[in-house]
Amino acid sequence: MPQEIKIINFGGVNCYLVKIDNGFILIDTGFSKKRSDIEKELESAGCKPGNLKLIVLTHGDFDHSGNCAYLREKYGAKIAMHRADKGMVEYGDLFYNRNVNFLTKALGKIIVFFLRTSLKENDRFTPDMYVEDGYDLSAFGFDARVIHIPGHSKGSIGVLTNTGDLFCGDLLQNTKKPAKNAMIVDDEAFDASVEKLKQLKINTVYPGHGKPFQIEQFIKDQNQLKRLK
């Protein structure tokens, strides 16, 4: 059966609350400064302490991981993510395990300073479990599996349901049209991840930023770009 998906968007960042038979799965958690907002959204959907079964973190950036530690404490949910991004959430290091140059790092620090947001010390955490490519989430009542799709970060993952819904984190975005995320730190890994997605049975893509879209639309646009090169 198709899962019921609730899109929670605050500050341009998407979190996805998926209704399963015995509770809920939350994919990403948003900025910590939006904590009260996401709590209200969870409560309005009937998600309460005890029935949030799992938090899946698509990658370690603070705009996606900001409420993980708090929600784990309040709702009793385990946190799952890829090991390659663990330093982002354990140390609050935006550039952990990312191959970026000095200028990019400096720009990132300036952005963090002016936004006055990051993964603050009391919001840092150690995940309960690390998941790899192909990890089956059915043990949590979620008919889906983990897809490792690096490019935005080395530990970026997607979640693909058995009905063809893909939660892709920040590999792709759809703020204007379906496209490559604005921050890709490894173009070769990105291309390999896109090729992997083309081999899978995917219908709707739910990105970390922007509106859901059909995978065919993105692939068509990508093919046109390649022909123009």
Side-chain angles (χ1 to χ4, degrees):
M1 292 291 291
Q3 284 87 9
E4 180 182 330
I5 301 168
K6 179 181 178 66
I7 303 173
I8 303 173
N9 179 282
F10 294 110
V13 182
N14 293 326
C15 310
Y16 297 99
L17 185 66
V18 183
K19 181 74 173 66
I20 55 176
D21 287 342
N22 60 343
F24 297 87
I25 302 289
L26 181 63
I27 300 172
D28 290 336
T29 67
F31 288 105
S32 58
K33 65 182 180 180
K34 298 292 184 179
R35 183 160 297 164
S36 61
D37 294 325
I38 194 169
E39 282 191 275
K40 289 176 183 176
E41 290 290 337
L42 295 182
E43 290 171 5
S44 70
C47 184
K48 302 175 182 178
N51 69 2
L52 181 59
K53 303 302 180 181
L54 184 69
I55 297 169
V56 181
L57 192 57
T58 61
H59 60 291
D61 285 340
F62 59 80
D63 57 332
H64 293 258
S65 63
N67 293 303
C68 280
Y70 176 81
L71 294 176
R72 175 171 64 183
E73 177 68 22
K74 179 172 180 177
Y75 289 82
K78 290 185 176 181
I79 301 171
M81 68 179 295
H82 195 281
R83 186 181 298 273
D85 278 7
K86 68 175 186 175
M88 296 184 195
V89 300
E90 290 180 351
Y91 316 126
D93 182 0
L94 176 65
F95 302 103
Y96 174 86
N97 212 14
R98 272 177 164 153
N99 297 322
V100 294
N101 59 36
F102 174 79
L103 183 61
T104 302
K105 282 190 176 183
L107 180 60
K109 289 178 180 179
I110 291 171
I111 291 171
V112 168
F113 175 80
F114 281 105
L115 288 177
R116 301 195 181 281
T117 184
S118 62
L119 197 62
K120 298 178 176 61
E121 189 170 353
N122 60 338
D123 291 323
R124 296 171 192 170
F125 60 91
T126 298
D128 298 285
M129 53 188 290
Y130 296 109
V131 292
E132 302 288 342
D133 187 64
Y135 185 89
D136 186 354
L137 293 167
S138 62
F140 295 90
F142 190 19
D143 293 327
R145 71 183 191 273
V146 170
I147 308 296
H148 185 210
I149 45 174
H152 178 68
S153 69
K154 288 187 177 180
S156 287
I157 59 173
V159 177
L160 178 61
T161 72
N162 65 344
T163 55
D165 293 318
L166 174 70
F167 304 90
C168 75
D170 280 2
L171 184 76
L172 307 175
Q173 64 184 32
N174 186 25
T175 52
K176 293 182 179 179
K177 66 177 184 177
K180 177 180 182 178
N181 188 274
M183 182 182 173
I184 295 297
V185 299
D186 187 333
D187 287 317
E188 186 175 336
F190 171 83
D191 290 339
S193 293
V194 169
E195 288 304 312
K196 178 188 285 190
L197 296 185
K198 289 180 180 179
Q199 306 306 313
L200 301 173
K201 293 182 179 180
I202 300 169
N203 297 315
T204 305
V205 179
Y206 292 84
H209 303 272
K211 297 179 180 180
F213 59 91
Q214 298 301 300
I215 190 68
E216 290 87 352
Q217 185 180 355
F218 170 74
I219 292 173
K220 181 180 177 181
D221 290 345
Q222 283 290 105
N223 291 337
Q224 287 179 342
L225 285 174
K226 286 182 179 180
R227 286 195 291 269
L228 291 173
K229 289 182 179 180

